[in-house]
Amino acid sequence: SGKSYVAAVFSSFGVPCINSDEVVHELYSEKNPCTSRIAELFGPSVIDEKYSVNRRTLAEIVFSDRNKLELLNRTVHPFVTEKCMQEAHKYEKKGCPLLVIEAPQLFESGLDSECDCIVSVCADAELRKARIVSRDGISSSDAEKRLSNQHDDVFFRGRSDFVIENGPGSDVRGQVMKIITSLLESDDTSL
C-alpha cells in the first residue's frame, strides 16, 4: 500500500520513524533467541551458515500455509514489539512530540495497543500487487498469496484514526501534513 513511502514523507517533515521490517531484518541477521526458535520450528533449511534467516526460504514455507504463517508471527512478534518499544522510549526520553512506527503487522502483533494514534495507508489491490511484484521480485501469483494473508482496506479503515489514500494522483504529502498538524494541535501528540 506504500507504508514505507508514507513513513519517508513523515520523516521528511522531521518525524522520526521506526521501521519494524528493519527490526525483523536485524533480528534475522544473527544468532539470537528469535532465530534459534525459528530454526526449531521451521527446520535448518531456513538458517544459513552464519545463522541468519534465509528469508526467501522461510517465505516459501509460510506463505503457502496459513497455520505456519501464524506460527511464525506468534514467534517473531514479541521480539519485534520489544525492540520497537525500546527504540520508541529513546525518542520519548528526548522529548520527541511525534514518532511513527511503520508496522505491516501492527494489529497482529498487538503493537497497536502501544500507539496513541493509528494511521493506515490504503491503495487499490491491483496496485498493491504490482508494488509487491516490483519490490520483491516475485511472481504475480506469489504476490497474490501474500495479499490473501493480509487484511483488506475495510479492516484498516475501521481501526484507524487517520487513513492515507496512496493511489495515482493522491496528495500523500498534503495528507501527511494535515495529520501532523492535527496531532500537534491536539493533546494527543504521539503516533
Side-chain angles (χ1 to χ4, degrees):
S1 60
K3 291 178 297 302
S4 295
Y5 172 67
V6 170
V9 174
F10 272 99
S11 186
S12 75
F13 286 118
V15 178
C17 298
I18 298 170
N19 182 319
S20 66
D21 280 342
E22 289 176 8
V23 170
V24 171
H25 285 287
E26 286 177 35
L27 285 170
Y28 281 13
S29 69
E30 61 186 19
K31 186 173 184 175
N32 59 55
C34 181
T35 56
S36 295
R37 185 68 179 135
I38 289 170
E40 289 172 21
L41 294 171
F42 299 101
S45 67
V46 300
I47 303 294
D48 67 19
E49 64 281 349
K50 295 178 183 178
Y51 221 80
S52 296
V53 173
N54 182 323
R55 295 174 61 90
R56 186 170 293 272
T57 301
L58 184 60
E60 289 171 5
I61 293 169
V62 300
F63 286 119
S64 62
D65 183 332
R66 189 172 200 66
N67 292 328
K68 289 180 180 176
L69 178 60
E70 289 173 7
L71 177 60
L72 176 65
N73 288 338
R74 282 193 312 272
T75 302
V76 175
H77 286 159
F79 294 102
V80 175
T81 297
E82 179 182 358
K83 181 70 173 163
C84 285
M85 292 313 299
Q86 288 171 354
E87 293 299 311
H89 290 306
K90 290 178 187 176
Y91 285 107
E92 185 177 35
K93 286 180 182 177
K94 293 178 184 178
C96 186
L98 298 176
L99 170 70
V100 169
I101 299 176
E102 178 189 349
Q105 297 277 306
L106 182 73
F107 298 101
E108 295 83 352
S109 68
L111 188 54
D112 62 307
S113 66
E114 300 291 337
C115 299
D116 296 318
C117 174
I118 305 295
V119 178
S120 289
V121 181
C122 292
D124 175 76
E126 285 300 314
L127 180 58
R128 290 193 325 259
K129 182 172 75 171
R131 288 174 176 167
I132 292 170
V133 167
S134 174
R135 179 193 68 207
D136 296 347
I138 61 174
S139 69
S140 181
S141 63
D142 284 344
E144 287 175 12
K145 284 181 191 175
R146 290 185 185 186
L147 286 170
S148 72
N149 286 303
Q150 296 177 0
H151 297 293
D152 61 14
D153 285 354
V154 173
F155 175 90
F156 292 109
R157 290 177 193 285
R159 288 164 178 78
S160 302
D161 299 288
F162 298 95
V163 175
I164 293 178
E165 301 295 339
N166 187 18
S170 298
D171 178 16
V172 172
R173 289 187 65 78
Q175 293 175 74
V176 168
M177 192 65 222
K178 285 180 184 177
I179 293 169
I180 292 170
T181 301
S182 175
L183 291 171
L184 290 176
E185 290 175 351
S186 74
D187 292 334
D188 182 14
T189 57
S190 300
L191 276 182

